[in-house]
């Protein structure tokens, strides 16, 4: 390039930089929400007649409704509703769909179909009142990209705490089993949301690579599963040493780690290894519950799933092997939910959304109440406790000054009827309203 041309380009780019108008520094918008009742999740009780002041994307204050609201302010009238913190689901798979139960589908999906599915599911999850989710495996690293796109504001969805593919042993819950050794399907397990790692060295390397790709949390599969082929939910699938390596490696990088575990021995190993949450925990025994209590390990028990798996999933081609496994595990899991809660194990709300359709997450509350919790305790499992498990208590989980303005509202009293959460009428995330069937005011549109 000639000097003159170079100079031209240099000057041109400098002009471009200076030609950008400075971003207007307008004051953050203030919204006053008049709540008839609020369940702020800092305790188990309701308060009446409160004004929540939202400034920009955060809550500025929470005060009695007698507080003076300056003339001309934007006020949202939820005086006939109950306002709660945005709900949190700690176990979702946003790229999974609940009408794909024939294993042949493994070979039909592409990263694009998973991506499209994830975008749609993120939207329906948000509109159902779940303003934060932990995604514990969406193929291949869809949850990480989805999190970034939502944070950039290019699509609408909940805040996402993203894992990479779930880490599985060869032949385990995350592998593709039952084909002849001559069969090369050309399909990598991560395409289905899993990675295979055997032995402490591979486990360590896999976790380091996942952290390099930007995961917030690690997911490891410590026992067999219900919806996989050729393994048993009760059987442990990693040694204690492998699980300990995984927990240490995740923690060293400042990440939490969740373990899929149905069977008692796998749960025991995972707790002793220092894993932060046991997912499913279906066959937990007394010893597991005591250990979880001592170690402060959360149980995240997906006790709605059984209805859907033994209903619709069969219609969508679920193999008999999986139906049989669900029959072994599902009902016991509900009984063990009650035992674990009564034993004092910390419980956080998680549903395994993707096994059933995204957006139906709140259907689990009914079972949490049927199996031992009060509605207030069930809601706190999906707000205060869930925020603690995912390490985001500073930002979400309660309605308090300084937290994100992630607020939902329902018309009925959720402490009388927890199922009212299945019909969330108002959803605000970070000060932006995405749904308002209560006042029918304007909502943010998705580009
Ligand atoms: N993803 C889990 C698995 O395949 C689903 C278990 C669902 N069943 C239940 N009762 N929670 O193991």
């Amino acid at each position: 390039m000639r000097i003159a041309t170079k100079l031209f380009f240099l000057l041109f780019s400098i002009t471009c930089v200076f030609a950008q108008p400075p971003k207007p520094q307008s004051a953050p918008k203030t919204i006053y929400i008049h709540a008839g009742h609020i369940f702020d999740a800092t305790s188990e009780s309701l308060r009446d007649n409160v004004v929540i002041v939202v400034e920009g994307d955060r809550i500025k204050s929470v005060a009695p409704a007698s507080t003076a609201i300056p003339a001309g302010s934007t006020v949202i009238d939820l005086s006939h509703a109950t306002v709660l913190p945005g709900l949190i689901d700690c176990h979702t798979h946003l790229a999974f769909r609940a009408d794909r139960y024939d294993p042949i589908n493994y070979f039909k999906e592409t990263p694009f179909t998973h991506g499209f599915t994830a975008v749609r599911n993120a939207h329906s999850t948000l509109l159902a009142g779940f303003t934060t989710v932990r995604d514990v495996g969406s193929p291949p690293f869809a949850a990480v990209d989805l999190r970034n796109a939502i944070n950039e504001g290019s699509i609408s969805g909940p805040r996402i705490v993203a894992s990479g593919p779930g880490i599985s042993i060869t032949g385990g819950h995350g592998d593709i089993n039952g084909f002849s050794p001559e069969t090369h399907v050309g399909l990598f397990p991560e395409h289905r949301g899993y990675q295979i790692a055997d032995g402490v060295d591979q486990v360590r390397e896999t976790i380091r690579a996942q952290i390099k790709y930007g995961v917030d949390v690690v997911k490891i599969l410590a026992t067999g599963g219900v919806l996989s082929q050729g393994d048993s939910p009760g059987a442990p699938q990693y040694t204690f040493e492998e699980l300990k390596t995984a927990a240490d490696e995740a923690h060293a990088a400042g990440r939490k780690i969740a373990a899929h575990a149905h069977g008692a021995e796998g749960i025991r190993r995972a707790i002793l290894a220092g894993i932060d949450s046991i997912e499913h925990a279906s066959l937990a025994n007394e010893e597991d519950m005591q250990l979880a209590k001592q170690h402060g390990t959360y149980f995240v028990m997906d006790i709605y799933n059984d209805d859907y798996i033994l209903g619709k999933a069969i219609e969508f081609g679920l193999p008999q092997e999986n139906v049989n496994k669900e029959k072994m595990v599902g009902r016991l899991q509900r009984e063990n939910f009650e035992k674990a809660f009564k034993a004092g194990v910390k419980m956080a709300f998680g549903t395994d959304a993707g096994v059933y359709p995204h957006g139906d997450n709140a259907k689990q509350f009914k079972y949490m109440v049927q199996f031992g919790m009060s509605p207030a305790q069930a809601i706190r499992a999906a707000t205060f406790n869930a925020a603690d498990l995912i390490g985001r208590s500073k930002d979400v989980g309660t309605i308090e000054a300084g937290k994100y303005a992630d607020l939902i509202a329902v018309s009925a009293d959720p402490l009388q009827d927890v199922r009212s959460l299945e019909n969330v009428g108002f959803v605000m995330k970070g000060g932006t309203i995405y749904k308002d069937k209560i006042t029918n005011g304007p909502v943010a549109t998705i580009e």
Side-chain angles (χ1 to χ4, degrees):
M1 217 189 279
R2 300 223 333 263
I3 297 275
T5 330
K6 270 191 185 165
L7 206 64
F8 171 77
F9 277 111
L10 184 69
L11 283 175
F12 181 73
S13 32
I14 290 173
T15 323
C16 285
V17 169
F18 287 114
Q20 302 274 348
K23 280 224 163 107
Q25 288 290 314
S26 61
K29 214 172 136 214
T30 302
I31 302 174
Y32 294 79
I33 298 175
H34 181 191
H37 314 278
I38 106 166
F39 183 83
D40 65 17
T42 62
S43 74
E44 288 181 13
S45 52
L46 276 183
R47 272 190 291 158
D48 294 336
N49 227 6
V50 160
V51 167
I52 304 164
V53 184
V54 174
E55 194 175 82
D57 62 355
R58 300 258 175 190
I59 297 168
K60 192 177 172 213
S61 64
V62 184
S66 52
T67 312
I69 297 176
S73 313
T74 308
V75 181
I76 298 170
D77 181 13
L78 297 176
S79 58
H80 297 289
T82 304
V83 178
L84 304 99
L87 301 169
I88 304 170
D89 190 331
C90 298
H91 193 123
T92 66
H93 299 276
L94 288 164
F96 284 6
R97 41 191 289 182
D99 58 355
R100 291 281 192 272
Y101 279 97
D102 184 337
I104 192 76
N105 287 302
Y106 301 160
F107 310 105
K108 294 184 175 172
E109 302 277 7
T110 70
F112 302 104
T113 60
H114 286 308
F116 302 145
T117 301
V119 169
R120 198 187 55 212
N121 290 337
H123 185 59
S124 38
T125 302
L126 178 63
L127 293 193
F130 286 80
T131 51
T132 301
V133 301
R134 189 173 61 162
D135 187 301
V136 285
S138 276
F141 273 84
V144 170
D145 296 327
L146 189 63
R147 174 198 69 197
N148 295 344
I150 291 170
N151 289 348
E152 280 165 8
S154 49
I155 54 176
S156 73
R159 302 179 194 285
I160 295 179
V161 173
S163 89
I167 303 169
S168 167
I169 62 164
T170 296
H173 177 56
D175 207 348
I176 300 169
N177 307 321
F179 290 92
S180 127
E182 322 316 312
T183 309
H184 292 281
V185 290
L187 176 64
F188 298 106
E190 55 263 43
H191 179 86
R192 289 180 49 233
Y194 304 102
Q195 275 179 322
I196 304 300
D198 294 303
V200 293
D201 290 343
Q202 283 184 8
V203 166
R204 192 181 289 118
E205 187 192 336
T206 304
I207 292 177
R208 289 180 182 170
Q210 290 198 355
I211 286 162
K212 161 172 138 166
Y213 298 138
V215 305
D216 299 306
V217 60
V218 172
K219 166 87 176 297
I220 192 157
L221 311 179
T223 71
V226 171
L227 299 175
S228 38
Q229 277 75 45
D231 67 346
S232 155
Q237 291 196 341
Y238 272 113
T239 63
F240 168 76
E241 287 70 27
E242 288 167 317
L243 293 173
K244 175 94 173 58
T245 301
D248 290 349
E249 203 57 42
H251 291 156
R255 273 30 172 219
K256 299 218 182 191
I257 175 165
H260 157 109
H262 290 285
E265 173 60 16
I267 296 173
R268 194 179 71 86
R269 291 183 196 173
I271 296 170
L272 293 175
I275 285 188
D276 300 286
S277 65
I278 305 297
E279 310 298 306
H280 311 296
S282 315
L283 309 173
N285 60 20
E286 281 293 321
E287 187 194 352
D288 293 333
M289 294 176 195
Q290 288 315 317
L291 281 175
K293 212 175 135 179
Q294 279 163 26
H295 288 252
T297 316
Y298 271 98
F299 277 8
V300 177
M301 299 178 75
D302 53 329
I303 59 172
Y304 163 63
N305 257 340
D306 186 61
D307 282 13
Y308 190 84
I309 295 174
L310 296 182
K312 277 282 177 204
I314 297 178
E315 288 171 38
F316 288 126
L318 184 70
Q320 191 59 41
E321 173 190 351
N322 305 106
V323 175
N324 297 343
K325 289 202 272 183
E326 181 58 34
K327 285 188 176 155
M328 269 172 46
V329 158
R331 306 295 151 116
L332 272 176
Q333 186 191 30
R334 290 178 177 179
E335 288 165 23
N336 288 331
F337 174 90
E338 181 152 19
K339 284 189 191 151
F341 178 63
K342 298 231 158 100
V345 176
K346 291 197 283 183
M347 311 287 268
F349 184 95
T351 62
D352 213 355
V355 168
Y356 69 86
H358 295 268
D360 284 353
N361 313 53
K363 287 191 174 173
Q364 186 170 284
F365 284 114
K366 170 183 143 189
Y367 289 105
M368 295 169 81
V369 171
Q370 191 177 324
F371 288 88
M373 287 184 172
S374 67
Q377 288 163 338
I379 298 168
R380 288 191 89 223
T383 50
F384 185 86
N385 286 9
D388 178 43
L389 168 59
I390 63 173
R392 299 288 165 95
S393 300
K394 194 169 69 44
D395 289 324
V396 297
T398 60
I399 303 180
E400 288 177 287
K403 302 236 172 156
Y404 281 127
D406 291 0
L407 304 168
I408 62 165
V410 288
S411 299
D413 176 356
L415 300 194
Q416 294 302 316
D417 177 15
V418 83
R419 295 196 63 183
S420 61
L421 293 169
E422 293 173 27
N423 286 305
V424 167
F426 175 91
V427 179
M428 171 183 273
K429 182 191 140 206
T432 300
I433 300 167
Y434 290 91
K435 181 181 193 177
D436 186 2
K437 296 258 187 293
I438 297 186
T439 77
N440 288 316
V443 298
T445 47
I446 326 130
E447 263 93 75

